[in-house]
Amino acid sequence: MDNNNTYNFLLSDLKNLRGVGTKTSNLLKKKKINNIFDLLWKLPRTYTDRSISAKIKDLKIGEIQTITIIPFKYNFPRVRNLPNRVFCKDDTGNIDCIFFNSFEGYVKKILPLNKEITISGKIGFYKNKYQITNPKYISENASLIKTKHNKYSLTEGISESVYNKIINQILRKLPELKEWHNQNIMNKFNQISWNQAILELHKPENIGKYQSDFYKRLAYDEILSSYLVHSDIRKKIKKIKKERKKFDLDHQKKILSKIDFKLTNDQKKTLSEINNDLKSNQKMFRLLQGDVGSGKTIVALMSAYNVVKAGFQVAIMAPTEILAMQHYKLANKIFDDIKINILSSKSEYKTKKKIKKQIPENQIDILFGTHSIFQSKIKFKNLGLIIIDEQHKFGVNQRKKLSDKGGKNCDVLLMSATPIPRTLTMTIYGDMDLSIIKEKPKYRKDVRTYSKLETNIKDVIEFIKKEITKENQIFWVCPLIEESKKIDHSSAVKKFEYLNKIFPNEVALLHGKIDMEEKNRILNKFLNKKFKILVSTTVIEVGIDFPNANIIVIENANKFGLSQLHQLRGRVGRGVKEATCILMFKSSLTENAKKRLKILKNTNDGFKVSEEDMKIRGYGDILGFKQSGIKMYKLADPVLNSDLFELAENEIRFMEKNKTDTSKYKILMKLYDQADILNDIV
Ligand code: ADP
Ligand code: MG
């Protein structure tokens, strides 16, 4: 088969396989197994050894045994509930094969009289006789039975023997693919080919051999393919030639001299990386990543300002109206020589109409709003930059669409406050250039983090009483209780009632069932210090500055991962006041839980927290990336295989630097990424 036919085969419908009909194929599709390739990664968990056969006289009751027997008599009672029976023997004794609910014809076919048949199953003993009930492993060909049979975590409705038949069929037909790796890489995996590696992977005795050459080779294939796809997107975007943005840094200096703090070194560095992109003739596609409170907003606003000075318009979008408003207000405060406006669902009809008229006439330089700016049919006269804040949940495809959206002169800057482990950077953001702010503003103190048993809630209340007298504000987070599809807000409601009795008129409640407008009203009141305690499920907005809130209480804290706790904790401590985070627990902590907490207590560095979180929980779980459609590896594991991730990153950088022809990797990319593209949320 040439490579073309090969991937047609591998991507072909499962119904092309013997023994797979509509029913089985639908069951597999439910598990996202759509074609032959997908089935290759469905690995055995363990196996049943049916390779050694016994004589009837030595059978062990209750165990799975393999015997070779000769059927010599049938008994088909034709009475409901009575099973069909086949009397069988070997040279040491007798055994009955019992069949419930099976047709005479079938029984006769699989157990023909006076022939040697090999059979394997659990041995029973009834009325002084050995028996075996509804045996599934029966064949005249002993070698088909006398082997190790893989056990899979079964898809409902598909039996182990059917599964084995399907997989073995595929493995027998598995094509040889033309090697895509270079010699240097092949040396690292002991020259094992893709085909050989897959065969090894499915051998029962190889279950769990994560550090073997075949496993590593396949894991590396996966990693490299996703990096290659990303690299392709990045190259394509960079090929787009745009008009250089010309601006004088004196304007920037003037603005920066007016604000009441000095940029940190990382802020300076990232701003100049962005400025360089803006000035170049390649389209910018960059992510500004920084922990909560690291000061990304000012960097974004300054780059927007420079773009305006270069004669272009800018759109700045945030996930919520409150956050968009906060950015708009800040811009209003620091810029006095450009025209800015905000488009909000609350804007009056007249205002909206006016904005929609002014934008195409280039009468607005920076437009703020939510992501809905996208959907609305606003035509910018000369859009030069799109900035999207707090958007770690955009998948690759959405980002790609975003970059296409603005037209060829439009640069793109995304911002995310979600630190991710180093090994995952290329997997999640490999299509973009990265600017990272690690350093936090100097005056910023770490959030002090404590843990408390729920039974000691009185201590927490006393502490809060004191803080309230100092005019401080408090977030009180109750996680959602999720029972199947029903989401329960009752814990938040109860806590609200409890706290409201102790602090009358000082508590408000926020949860997912409250509509947007009401939510915004409550958040604005909290911002304006109209009440002291905000009880909420985890819906507190990301990104908003509540400079006066310096305490966060998180109930049932073990419901959250470390990164999530870190993000929640980042809601406080953005002002000058010292901030406190209190983690509450229902019962005393296990040693493991204590270890996790220690990490959180000892560091306020989100990157470190995310590394540790990944080690504990695996990468799929960190911060809901799963829902955002990031590449989910089938074999590769960023903790176990971190060396392979590094290897792939170096390889990609090398290829990009040397402009290596990547056409030989086409089949790899096609095979491995066909499924993931569909996973991107829209
Ligand atoms: P994030 O990176 O989470 O978006 P923000 O941009 O909202 O963070 O900044 C958080 C707070 O820190 C804001 O109140 C902002 O004014 C302040 N800030 C930003 N940069 C500095 C700095 N260099 N020195 C002092 N405070 C800063
Ligand atoms: Mg922010």
Side-chain angles (χ1 to χ4, degrees), residues 117-133:
I117 309 284
T118 300
I119 172 170
S120 179
K122 200 168 171 182
I123 306 299
F125 196 73
Y126 186 67
K127 288 197 176 153
N128 254 335
K129 241 175 143 186
Y130 290 113
Q131 65 175 36
I132 190 163
T133 308

Side-chain angles (χ1 to χ4, degrees), residues 10-44:
L10 287 170
L11 299 189
S12 68
D13 202 291
L14 293 163
K15 275 195 269 184
N16 293 339
L17 292 169
R18 230 176 337 109
V20 182
T22 312
K23 193 180 136 228
T24 307
S25 115
N26 284 345
L27 286 169
L28 290 168
K29 272 184 187 150
K30 266 196 210 149
K31 294 264 152 133
K32 293 207 165 120
I33 298 174
N34 292 311
N35 52 39
I36 292 180
F37 182 78
D38 293 341
L39 255 182
L40 294 178
W41 313 107
K42 175 104 185 148
L43 297 183

Side-chain angles (χ1 to χ4, degrees), residues 69 73-77 81-88 95-103 106-107 110-111 119-127 129-136 138:
I69 47 161
K73 197 176 131 196
Y74 297 127
N75 174 15
F76 300 125
N81 297 331
L82 279 188
N84 291 328
R85 186 178 294 262
V86 183
F87 300 94
C88 308
I95 186 165
D96 289 0
C97 291
I98 315 276
F99 293 87
F100 286 94
N101 305 319
S102 45
F103 293 109
Y106 166 75
V107 175
I110 57 167
L111 286 174
I119 172 170
S120 179
K122 200 168 171 182
I123 306 299
F125 196 73
Y126 186 67
K127 288 197 176 153
K129 241 175 143 186
Y130 290 113
Q131 65 175 36
I132 190 163
T133 308
N134 287 348
K136 290 217 172 55
I138 305 180

Side-chain angles (χ1 to χ4, degrees), residues 293 296-297 323 327 389-390 415 417 542-544 574:
K296 294 181 291 293
T297 321
L323 191 53
H327 291 345
D389 191 14
E390 296 297 350
M415 291 196 272
V542 289
I544 308 175
R574 292 160 78 97

Side-chain angles (χ1 to χ4, degrees), residues 319-323 393 475-482 487-489 491-493 508-516 518-520 522-524 526 534-544 546 552-554 560 564 567-568 571:
T320 63
E321 301 223 325
I322 295 197
L323 191 53
K393 287 194 174 176
F475 286 113
W476 192 297
V477 182
C478 307
L480 285 173
I481 301 166
E482 207 165 337
I487 287 177
D488 189 2
H489 300 282
S491 68
V493 175
L509 174 66
L510 202 66
H511 59 64
K513 275 195 190 142
I514 291 173
D515 72 34
M516 270 288 264
E518 174 69 4
K519 193 166 121 188
N520 284 343
I522 294 171
L523 285 174
N524 267 322
F526 192 57
L534 182 64
V535 178
S536 75
T537 51
T538 39
V539 296
I540 333 171
E541 302 308 325
V542 289
I544 308 175
F546 295 93
I552 185 163
V553 179
I554 304 172
F560 298 101
Q564 240 178 327
Q567 290 278 309
L568 283 169
R571 303 291 185 272

Side-chain angles (χ1 to χ4, degrees), residues 41 43-46 188-189 200-201 203 205-220 222-223 634-644:
W41 313 107
L43 297 183
R45 279 182 305 124
T46 146
K188 296 205 193 296
F189 304 118
E200 291 298 321
L201 187 67
K203 283 189 183 157
E205 59 269 28
N206 282 342
I207 293 171
K209 290 195 182 158
Y210 305 123
Q211 296 302 336
S212 50
D213 292 324
F214 66 85
Y215 200 99
K216 283 179 145 184
R217 189 231 139 101
L218 293 170
Y220 182 73
E222 252 191 304
I223 303 165
K634 295 168 179 91
L635 304 183
D637 181 309
V639 178
L640 289 177
N641 306 117
S642 60
D643 55 332
L644 300 178

